[in-house]
Amino acid sequence: MTAPAPGPEFPIQDIPFSCRGSWFNLSPVVGERTYADDLHLVSHQTGMHPVLRLTPAVAGPAVTATPSVLTWRAGRDRIEAVYDGPQTLRIRGRRLGLRIAASERTLTPFSGTYLYLDPVDGSHVFTSYETGRRYRVTVLTGLLHRSAGAAALGEADRFLDLAGDQPWEIAIEEYATARRPYRGSATFDQVRAARGAEFGAFVDAVAPWRGADTPAAELAAYVLWSATVAPAGFVTRPAVLMSKHWMDKVWSWDHCFNAIALAAGEPELAWHQFQLPFDHQDESGALPDSITHSEVLHNYVKPPIHGWALRQLRRRLPRPPDRAMLAETYERLARWTGFWLDARRAPGQPLPHYQHGNDSGWDNASIFDDDRILQTADLAAFLVSQLRCLADLAGELGEPADRWRREADRIHTAMLRDLWTGERFTARHPGTGQRRASRSLLDLMPVALGADLPAPVAAALARGVQGHLTPHGLATEPTDSAHYLADGYWRGPIWAPATVLVEDGLRRAGHTGLADQIARRFRALCEKSGFAENFDAETGVGLRDRAYTWTASGYLILAAAHRRRAADG
């Protein structure tokens, strides 16, 4: 039997080492844009918390990582780490020692890490106030060389040392209160092979089309696979977090792109991604801004791209959802749409409005500089698409569809009448009626309507989009704009969701040449710079969180479509 390929090697400074289902990872990233010298065990239960510091006995070892194993090397000496399931890490050393220490020295009644020797099985257990979890270290082979700080209070060094003068192996488990003593049922090499096979099956499912012209597909799949967590806390389903760095949440539009990318090969996981925010829909029908292990935020919302996303998702699913699934989705989508129609329209106004840039997902886009409460064309366009999706769903389910069609037509008409200048869209304050113009790509996002736009409008939007295209992709603010900032979040950098929405709309509107350019440049950008949260529009350098799942999903969506078109000739 041939051993499974180990998968792509990746830089641990950019992409954490983890596995599907786990709530923790190994990484030097210990906070927002904060990098430690040593790798840490970082948990994402109750937030992002570095719990344990892992320090090899020699300075500056080389660190390599693949989906199945992470390795520290110093010449012929090495330490290797593998996941034995989502809650357990196995680590072994050959001629190289390791210190496992609490990441912080201070223990208070409300913070820090406590260490004790468990008389039940002889293991050492670190308990973390920050995560509310325990981290048991069991020696499987070899001997513990030294321990310090067991049962200590206040300021203390709390650590375990394994020496390099003999082979050793340990297990580290994350758990709640108690569990049976750890007894590994497989060897280290068997565990590594199992993780490699698991990842191999995942990448074969989500990217069976991959080839030499899509060289980043396996790494993109790893970013998704490793960021997937088991249901826990407020996360009601298996969920793909946006990252296992500091962006360790599910935002209520980010999830759509992950669902689409997973749909063909992992349909059940994809369906869970689409539905997760709807599990926390409030009485008004609104989706939360974000969800994570111990927090659901409702202070903002996210744009209603879910009708567009559902169409994309259903086109890719290998089997159609059954009637019960569609009926539940219809009811949820109708309530979400009703929120925008009932709670986000001023009296007598056909167009809905955002209350803040965060509601649009484009938090600080330049269109929001003078007014935060705005009727914008992207919001109108997304809602039109969602209303038309609801009409189609209603037809399938035997429900009345005319009300959805009438509302879609009403908003479509108002968008063109009230916000279109003849060359691009503007925004408008719902109270004063004052119009705002900007050079943000957000003003061009109605191109996502594709063939549902008049041809002259689609052509004008395509010309506008062309003005945002740099050698690396679509700048969210043109590089010659007075508001452009290289690392300005939505004021310049290239983002995956805008790219996917624009590319799809252009293609459906018949502007396939420009769509091809955008898709090709974004794929090349990811192949060069990885899967960062966003990218410098002029240099292509990755910015902010460097292991962002909607970026990986954007690559997989565009790469799969490219391979499909190539196969079709």
Side-chain angles (χ1 to χ4, degrees), residues 247-278:
M247 299 295 279
D248 55 353
K249 297 185 179 185
V250 177
W251 277 268
S252 291
W253 72 310
D254 308 42
H255 70 113
C256 292
F257 300 92
N258 291 340
I260 294 165
L262 292 166
E266 284 271 351
E268 183 177 351
L269 183 59
W271 194 254
H272 283 314
Q273 301 325 294
F274 184 80
Q275 296 290 345
L276 175 59
F278 289 93

Short mmCIF file of all heavy atoms in Angstrom, two decimals, residues 247-278:
data_model
loop_
_atom_site.label_atom_id
_atom_site.label_comp_id
_atom_site.label_asym_id
_atom_site.label_seq_id
_atom_site.Cartn_x
_atom_site.Cartn_y
_atom_site.Cartn_z
N MET A 247 -8.95 36.18 13.30
CA MET A 247 -10.28 36.32 12.69
C MET A 247 -11.03 35.00 12.83
O MET A 247 -11.51 34.41 11.85
CB MET A 247 -10.13 36.74 11.23
CG MET A 247 -9.42 38.07 11.04
SD MET A 247 -10.33 39.48 11.73
CE MET A 247 -11.50 39.78 10.42
N ASP A 248 -11.17 34.55 14.07
CA ASP A 248 -11.68 33.20 14.35
C ASP A 248 -13.18 33.20 14.58
O ASP A 248 -13.67 32.71 15.61
CB ASP A 248 -10.93 32.59 15.53
CG ASP A 248 -10.96 33.47 16.78
OD1 ASP A 248 -11.45 34.61 16.71
OD2 ASP A 248 -10.50 33.00 17.84
N LYS A 249 -13.90 33.72 13.61
CA LYS A 249 -15.36 33.80 13.69
C LYS A 249 -15.97 33.34 12.37
O LYS A 249 -15.28 33.08 11.40
CB LYS A 249 -15.81 35.24 13.97
CG LYS A 249 -15.36 35.83 15.28
CD LYS A 249 -15.97 37.23 15.47
CE LYS A 249 -15.55 37.85 16.79
NZ LYS A 249 -16.24 39.14 17.02
N VAL A 250 -17.30 33.31 12.36
CA VAL A 250 -18.07 33.18 11.12
C VAL A 250 -18.90 34.44 10.98
O VAL A 250 -19.79 34.70 11.80
CB VAL A 250 -18.99 31.94 11.16
CG1 VAL A 250 -19.84 31.88 9.89
CG2 VAL A 250 -18.18 30.67 11.31
N TRP A 251 -18.58 35.26 9.98
CA TRP A 251 -19.37 36.45 9.69
C TRP A 251 -20.48 36.10 8.70
O TRP A 251 -20.33 35.18 7.88
CB TRP A 251 -18.50 37.56 9.13
CG TRP A 251 -17.78 38.36 10.18
CD1 TRP A 251 -18.21 39.51 10.77
CD2 TRP A 251 -16.50 38.08 10.76
NE1 TRP A 251 -17.29 39.95 11.69
CE2 TRP A 251 -16.23 39.10 11.71
CE3 TRP A 251 -15.55 37.07 10.58
CZ2 TRP A 251 -15.06 39.13 12.45
CZ3 TRP A 251 -14.39 37.09 11.33
CH2 TRP A 251 -14.15 38.12 12.26
N SER A 252 -21.56 36.84 8.77
CA SER A 252 -22.78 36.45 8.05
C SER A 252 -22.82 36.90 6.60
O SER A 252 -23.89 37.20 6.06
CB SER A 252 -24.01 36.97 8.80
OG SER A 252 -24.17 36.28 10.02
N TRP A 253 -21.64 36.96 5.98
CA TRP A 253 -21.59 36.89 4.50
C TRP A 253 -20.37 36.11 4.07
O TRP A 253 -20.39 35.43 3.05
CB TRP A 253 -21.70 38.26 3.85
CG TRP A 253 -20.53 39.20 3.95
CD1 TRP A 253 -19.84 39.57 5.05
CD2 TRP A 253 -19.94 39.93 2.86
NE1 TRP A 253 -18.86 40.49 4.73
CE2 TRP A 253 -18.90 40.73 3.40
CE3 TRP A 253 -20.19 40.01 1.50
CZ2 TRP A 253 -18.11 41.58 2.62
CZ3 TRP A 253 -19.41 40.86 0.72
CH2 TRP A 253 -18.38 41.62 1.28
N ASP A 254 -19.32 36.11 4.89
CA ASP A 254 -18.14 35.31 4.60
C ASP A 254 -18.49 33.85 4.37
O ASP A 254 -17.93 33.17 3.50
CB ASP A 254 -17.14 35.39 5.76
CG ASP A 254 -16.78 36.80 6.20
OD1 ASP A 254 -17.69 37.64 6.27
OD2 ASP A 254 -15.61 37.06 6.51
N HIS A 255 -19.41 33.34 5.20
CA HIS A 255 -19.76 31.92 5.16
C HIS A 255 -20.29 31.48 3.81
O HIS A 255 -20.17 30.30 3.43
CB HIS A 255 -20.80 31.61 6.25
CG HIS A 255 -22.15 32.20 5.97
ND1 HIS A 255 -23.25 31.44 5.69
CD2 HIS A 255 -22.57 33.50 5.93
CE1 HIS A 255 -24.30 32.23 5.50
NE2 HIS A 255 -23.91 33.47 5.64
N CYS A 256 -20.89 32.41 3.06
CA CYS A 256 -21.47 32.05 1.76
C CYS A 256 -20.41 31.55 0.79
O CYS A 256 -20.64 30.59 0.03
CB CYS A 256 -22.18 33.26 1.16
SG CYS A 256 -23.67 33.76 2.04
N PHE A 257 -19.25 32.18 0.78
CA PHE A 257 -18.20 31.80 -0.16
C PHE A 257 -17.60 30.45 0.19
O PHE A 257 -17.28 29.65 -0.70
CB PHE A 257 -17.14 32.91 -0.22
CG PHE A 257 -17.72 34.22 -0.66
CD1 PHE A 257 -18.18 35.14 0.28
CD2 PHE A 257 -17.86 34.52 -2.00
CE1 PHE A 257 -18.74 36.34 -0.12
CE2 PHE A 257 -18.43 35.72 -2.41
CZ PHE A 257 -18.88 36.63 -1.47
N ASN A 258 -17.50 30.16 1.48
CA ASN A 258 -17.03 28.84 1.89
C ASN A 258 -18.04 27.76 1.49
O ASN A 258 -17.67 26.67 1.05
CB ASN A 258 -16.77 28.80 3.39
CG ASN A 258 -15.57 29.64 3.78
OD1 ASN A 258 -14.72 29.97 2.96
ND2 ASN A 258 -15.50 30.01 5.06
N ALA A 259 -19.32 28.06 1.65
CA ALA A 259 -20.35 27.10 1.26
C ALA A 259 -20.27 26.79 -0.23
O ALA A 259 -20.36 25.63 -0.65
CB ALA A 259 -21.74 27.65 1.61
N ILE A 260 -20.10 27.81 -1.04
CA ILE A 260 -20.05 27.62 -2.50
C ILE A 260 -18.84 26.78 -2.88
O ILE A 260 -18.93 25.85 -3.70
CB ILE A 260 -20.03 28.98 -3.21
CG1 ILE A 260 -21.36 29.71 -3.00
CG2 ILE A 260 -19.76 28.81 -4.71
CD1 ILE A 260 -21.31 31.19 -3.36
N ALA A 261 -17.68 27.09 -2.29
CA ALA A 261 -16.46 26.35 -2.64
C ALA A 261 -16.55 24.88 -2.25
O ALA A 261 -15.97 24.01 -2.92
CB ALA A 261 -15.25 27.00 -1.97
N LEU A 262 -17.27 24.57 -1.17
CA LEU A 262 -17.35 23.20 -0.67
C LEU A 262 -18.48 22.40 -1.32
O LEU A 262 -18.51 21.17 -1.19
CB LEU A 262 -17.58 23.23 0.84
CG LEU A 262 -16.42 23.73 1.70
CD1 LEU A 262 -16.90 24.01 3.12
CD2 LEU A 262 -15.28 22.72 1.71
N ALA A 263 -19.39 23.06 -2.01
CA ALA A 263 -20.66 22.43 -2.38
C ALA A 263 -20.51 21.15 -3.19
O ALA A 263 -21.17 20.14 -2.91
CB ALA A 263 -21.53 23.44 -3.15
N ALA A 264 -19.66 21.16 -4.21
CA ALA A 264 -19.57 20.00 -5.10
C ALA A 264 -18.99 18.79 -4.42
O ALA A 264 -19.44 17.65 -4.65
CB ALA A 264 -18.75 20.36 -6.33
N GLY A 265 -17.98 18.97 -3.56
CA GLY A 265 -17.28 17.83 -2.99
C GLY A 265 -17.63 17.50 -1.56
O GLY A 265 -17.51 16.34 -1.13
N GLU A 266 -18.07 18.50 -0.78
CA GLU A 266 -18.45 18.30 0.62
C GLU A 266 -19.82 18.93 0.83
O GLU A 266 -19.99 19.91 1.55
CB GLU A 266 -17.42 18.97 1.54
CG GLU A 266 -16.12 18.20 1.68
CD GLU A 266 -16.18 17.18 2.82
OE1 GLU A 266 -17.16 17.20 3.60
OE2 GLU A 266 -15.22 16.38 2.93
N PRO A 267 -20.86 18.36 0.20
CA PRO A 267 -22.17 19.02 0.20
C PRO A 267 -22.78 19.19 1.58
O PRO A 267 -23.41 20.21 1.85
CB PRO A 267 -23.03 18.10 -0.69
CG PRO A 267 -22.31 16.79 -0.72
CD PRO A 267 -20.86 17.12 -0.61
N GLU A 268 -22.59 18.21 2.47
CA GLU A 268 -23.17 18.35 3.81
C GLU A 268 -22.50 19.48 4.57
O GLU A 268 -23.16 20.31 5.22
CB GLU A 268 -23.04 17.04 4.58
CG GLU A 268 -23.69 17.08 5.95
CD GLU A 268 -23.63 15.75 6.68
OE1 GLU A 268 -23.25 14.74 6.05
OE2 GLU A 268 -23.97 15.72 7.87
N LEU A 269 -21.17 19.54 4.52
CA LEU A 269 -20.44 20.62 5.18
C LEU A 269 -20.81 21.96 4.56
O LEU A 269 -20.96 22.97 5.27
CB LEU A 269 -18.94 20.37 5.07
CG LEU A 269 -18.03 21.37 5.79
CD1 LEU A 269 -18.32 21.43 7.28
CD2 LEU A 269 -16.55 21.03 5.53
N ALA A 270 -20.98 21.99 3.24
CA ALA A 270 -21.37 23.23 2.56
C ALA A 270 -22.73 23.72 3.04
O ALA A 270 -22.93 24.91 3.30
CB ALA A 270 -21.39 23.01 1.05
N TRP A 271 -23.68 22.81 3.16
CA TRP A 271 -25.03 23.18 3.60
C TRP A 271 -24.99 23.73 5.02
O TRP A 271 -25.66 24.71 5.35
CB TRP A 271 -25.95 21.98 3.50
CG TRP A 271 -27.41 22.33 3.61
CD1 TRP A 271 -28.23 22.10 4.67
CD2 TRP A 271 -28.22 22.97 2.63
NE1 TRP A 271 -29.51 22.56 4.41
CE2 TRP A 271 -29.53 23.09 3.16
CE3 TRP A 271 -27.97 23.45 1.34
CZ2 TRP A 271 -30.58 23.68 2.44
CZ3 TRP A 271 -29.02 24.03 0.63
CH2 TRP A 271 -30.30 24.15 1.18
N HIS A 272 -24.17 23.11 5.88
CA HIS A 272 -24.02 23.62 7.23
C HIS A 272 -23.46 25.05 7.22
O HIS A 272 -23.89 25.89 8.03
CB HIS A 272 -23.08 22.73 8.04
CG HIS A 272 -23.70 21.46 8.52
ND1 HIS A 272 -24.94 21.41 9.12
CD2 HIS A 272 -23.23 20.17 8.51
CE1 HIS A 272 -25.23 20.16 9.45
NE2 HIS A 272 -24.21 19.40 9.09
N GLN A 273 -22.51 25.33 6.32
CA GLN A 273 -21.94 26.69 6.28
C GLN A 273 -23.01 27.70 5.92
O GLN A 273 -23.09 28.78 6.51
CB GLN A 273 -20.78 26.77 5.26
CG GLN A 273 -19.63 25.84 5.54
CD GLN A 273 -19.36 25.63 7.01
OE1 GLN A 273 -18.96 26.56 7.71
NE2 GLN A 273 -19.56 24.42 7.50
N PHE A 274 -23.83 27.37 4.95
CA PHE A 274 -24.87 28.32 4.54
C PHE A 274 -25.87 28.55 5.68
O PHE A 274 -26.30 29.69 5.92
CB PHE A 274 -25.61 27.80 3.30
CG PHE A 274 -26.62 28.77 2.77
CD1 PHE A 274 -26.24 29.86 2.00
CD2 PHE A 274 -27.97 28.63 3.07
CE1 PHE A 274 -27.17 30.78 1.53
CE2 PHE A 274 -28.90 29.55 2.61
CZ PHE A 274 -28.49 30.62 1.84
N GLN A 275 -26.23 27.51 6.39
CA GLN A 275 -27.30 27.60 7.37
C GLN A 275 -26.87 28.16 8.73
O GLN A 275 -27.71 28.66 9.49
CB GLN A 275 -27.93 26.21 7.59
CG GLN A 275 -28.62 25.63 6.37
CD GLN A 275 -29.90 26.35 5.99
OE1 GLN A 275 -30.44 27.11 6.77
NE2 GLN A 275 -30.40 26.09 4.78
N LEU A 276 -25.58 28.08 9.06
CA LEU A 276 -25.15 28.40 10.42
C LEU A 276 -25.64 29.77 10.92
O LEU A 276 -26.21 29.85 12.02
CB LEU A 276 -23.62 28.30 10.51
CG LEU A 276 -23.00 28.73 11.85
CD1 LEU A 276 -23.53 27.90 13.00
CD2 LEU A 276 -21.48 28.64 11.78
N PRO A 277 -25.44 30.88 10.21
CA PRO A 277 -25.93 32.16 10.75
C PRO A 277 -27.44 32.19 10.94
O PRO A 277 -27.94 32.87 11.84
CB PRO A 277 -25.48 33.18 9.71
CG PRO A 277 -24.32 32.55 9.04
CD PRO A 277 -24.67 31.09 8.97
N PHE A 278 -28.17 31.44 10.11
CA PHE A 278 -29.62 31.42 10.24
C PHE A 278 -30.06 30.74 11.54
O PHE A 278 -31.18 30.96 12.00
CB PHE A 278 -30.26 30.73 9.03
CG PHE A 278 -30.19 31.53 7.76
CD1 PHE A 278 -29.14 31.34 6.87
CD2 PHE A 278 -31.16 32.47 7.47
CE1 PHE A 278 -29.07 32.08 5.69
CE2 PHE A 278 -31.10 33.22 6.29
CZ PHE A 278 -30.05 33.02 5.41
#
